[in-house]
Amino acid sequence: MDRQLRFGIEEEYFITDLDTRRMTDKPPKASIEACEAAMGACFAYEMFQGQIEVASPIFTCMDEAGDYLVAARKSLRRSLESYDLGLLCAGSHPLADWRVQQPTEQHHFLQLFADYQRVARRSLLCGLHVHVEIPSHLDRIQVMNEVLPWTPLLLALSSSSPFWDGADSGFMSYRQTACDEWPRMGIPEFFEDTPAYDAYVALLIRTGTITQASECWWGLRPACRYPTLELRMTDACPRLEDALCIASLFRLLVAYAIDQPRPGLAYSQTSRLILKENRWRAKRHGTQASFIVEGYDRTFSAEQWLFLAQQILGDTARKLRVENVFAQARLILRNGTSADRQRDLYQRALRSTGDVHAALAEVVDQLLLETSQEPCKSDDLQPAVCET
């Protein structure tokens, strides 16, 4: 296993009107041009005009990722502030109205709206996507199968979308519930290896179901343009330290899978059924869920599952020099996810004012602030130093 296992991170953001606290439906063209100029080739448009994305360069350690994303968020925020707009990073926007949002006028996005209609119109969501490179001699699907059972834990840690359409959804990740309206999202079908996966994708293309493999949007998938596995299940995280922790955990899981003599060998149809149940629990209850772990006749709390992960992945974490990632994840469990913080603030504000809109506006203010803050610098939680 290469200790410099390469990876990249994609973050999606909502552009927010600093006066109304709502997601803007049609930001000034000059504001988007300013963001694109600031980010260069790493800037990307999203489905809606009020969203943008940053697709990072390739990293070899978490320090590089942290430094880049701090600078990227700061540059985007400065680019938007002169237009009285703010940058908000979360799985859903508490004051967004999907009915008024305008599609980005690019062929790819317009085709999605034409094909998927209201499902696409309602897809007002932001995710955290992480790519990790897989050595060419390995079967990416088999590596994926080794990692898949852990993905609900990553989803729970990232949960940041409790509000939808101006109300508490009852879910910690309503984003994942909305994703289930789409075909080929959520949990991948069961594939034994890359030939089985390729045969399925080829069938979909031959029958006109899809036009290209990238239209398979599962929560974990082999990327089309890069030799990577791409994590797509996790919510966008307002606190950058949470995003970096989740990216590091995913990279660690891939590193462990790569190290196995036959990765994915134990993954079965039963494993997939348990995975589907755990994903439901994660999106509904977040880190307060109890999870099923294959081979055990009792459920695990998120903290217990993380402890099990540390027992299993500890040696690989030392090789990768990311032993601190478990302390970082425990800090999320101790302090709460973004969804926990949003819901707590909303309830306090609602008790104080009795005004739903005002309470949601306070949540938006908190998310704007957290998106702008740099990661904490506690010495025992620092990312591993890049090797020279």
Side-chain angles (χ1 to χ4, degrees):
M1 186 263 297
D2 185 354
R3 285 196 304 195
Q4 291 189 333
L5 191 62
R6 300 195 301 174
F7 66 103
I9 297 174
E10 299 169 9
E11 283 197 321
E12 298 168 348
Y13 312 99
F14 294 108
I15 300 174
T16 301
D17 186 310
L18 294 178
D19 181 33
T20 66
R21 305 302 196 272
R22 292 186 177 278
M23 177 185 172
T24 182
D25 57 334
K26 198 168 185 179
K29 183 179 179 182
S31 68
I32 303 301
E33 290 174 344
C35 291
E36 187 170 10
M39 298 312 305
C42 293
F43 175 87
Y45 291 92
E46 261 300 322
M47 284 179 62
F48 295 94
Q49 294 184 34
Q51 285 179 289
I52 53 176
E53 178 182 337
V54 164
S56 78
I58 297 170
F59 305 125
T60 58
C61 74
M62 297 311 299
D63 267 353
E64 293 175 342
D67 290 344
Y68 177 82
L69 289 172
V70 164
R73 288 186 177 198
K74 186 178 296 184
S75 294
L76 290 172
R77 193 173 68 254
R78 288 175 175 170
S79 298
L80 292 170
E81 279 176 348
S82 59
Y83 299 92
D84 295 322
L85 299 171
L87 190 74
L88 190 152
C89 189
S92 64
H93 192 297
L95 282 175
D97 183 349
W98 61 269
R99 299 165 190 84
V100 303
Q101 295 304 316
Q102 300 299 308
T104 298
E105 294 182 354
Q106 295 183 359
H107 174 74
H108 169 65
F109 296 125
L110 294 176
Q111 190 64 54
L112 286 176
F113 286 104
D115 290 344
Y116 295 99
Q117 295 293 310
R118 181 164 290 208
V119 169
R121 296 284 305 177
R122 281 174 39 83
S123 194
L124 208 59
L125 313 164
C126 283
L128 168 68
H129 299 174
V130 186
H131 289 261
V132 178
E133 186 176 23
I134 307 299
S136 59
H137 68 279
L138 292 177
D139 186 304
R140 279 194 293 173
I141 296 301
Q142 292 176 347
V143 174
M144 181 180 82
N145 289 344
E146 186 75 35
V147 174
L148 270 170
W150 296 97
T151 52
L153 179 60
L154 302 181
L155 171 60
L157 291 168
S158 76
S159 57
S160 67
S161 50
F163 296 103
W164 177 259
D165 205 17
D168 190 331
S169 69
F171 287 78
M172 302 302 270
S173 177
Y174 186 79
R175 169 179 164 271
Q176 279 297 296
T177 298
C179 283
D180 285 340
E181 295 182 355
W182 289 79
R184 300 176 303 280
M185 277 199 188
I187 304 300
E189 306 302 332
F190 181 82
F191 304 108
E192 291 185 355
D193 51 25
T194 294
Y197 175 84
D198 289 344
Y200 179 69
V201 171
L203 172 64
L204 295 181
I205 293 174
R206 284 197 311 273
T207 56
T209 308
I210 61 176
T211 60
Q212 54 190 349
S214 62
E215 293 173 49
C216 295
W217 298 291
W218 290 303
L220 184 59
R221 69 175 185 180
C224 297
R225 296 174 56 194
Y226 310 107
T228 63
L229 274 185
E230 180 188 7
L231 174 69
R232 299 173 55 85
M233 189 182 296
T234 41
D235 282 359
C237 298
R239 286 185 177 174
L240 184 52
E241 58 261 42
D242 292 355
L244 294 171
C245 173
I246 291 158
S248 186
L249 272 173
F250 176 60
R251 179 170 172 250
L252 173 59
L253 286 163
V254 172
Y256 174 82
I258 287 171
D259 265 356
Q260 301 312 298
R262 298 179 65 185
L265 181 63
Y267 187 72
S268 66
Q269 292 284 6
T270 298
S271 307
R272 186 176 181 274
L273 292 173
I274 293 172
L275 170 58
K276 289 179 67 177
E277 176 62 29
N278 281 338
R279 175 174 170 265
W280 162 259
R281 296 178 181 206
K283 68 183 183 180
R284 172 67 175 87
H285 299 291
T287 57
Q288 300 306 307
S290 60
F291 296 99
I292 302 170
V293 178
E294 193 167 4
Y296 293 86
D297 291 329
R298 63 176 181 85
T299 58
F300 282 57
S301 67
E303 185 173 6
Q304 291 168 333
W305 201 10
L306 180 64
F307 179 80
L308 179 63
Q310 186 167 6
Q311 304 310 300
I312 294 171
L313 306 172
D315 288 343
T316 306
R318 284 186 285 276
K319 293 177 186 176
L320 204 58
R321 296 190 176 180
V322 293
E323 304 97 312
N324 55 354
V325 73
F326 301 108
Q328 292 170 328
R330 281 193 291 272
L331 200 59
I332 296 176
L333 294 178
R334 187 181 315 131
N335 295 338
T337 64
S338 172
D340 291 316
R341 295 191 300 276
Q342 290 180 54
R343 186 166 279 149
D344 288 347
L345 176 57
Y346 173 75
Q347 293 296 338
R348 292 198 308 271
L350 194 60
R351 286 194 297 269
S352 174
T353 67
D355 186 323
V356 170
H357 184 275
L360 289 172
E362 288 197 35
V363 176
V364 170
D365 284 343
Q366 173 181 270
L367 291 170
L368 289 167
L369 177 63
E370 290 185 355
T371 302
S372 71
Q373 292 175 330
E374 296 187 15
C376 64
K377 295 295 184 181
S378 174
D379 290 340
D380 61 334
L381 296 178
Q382 280 298 291
V385 175
C386 295
E387 293 182 343
T388 57

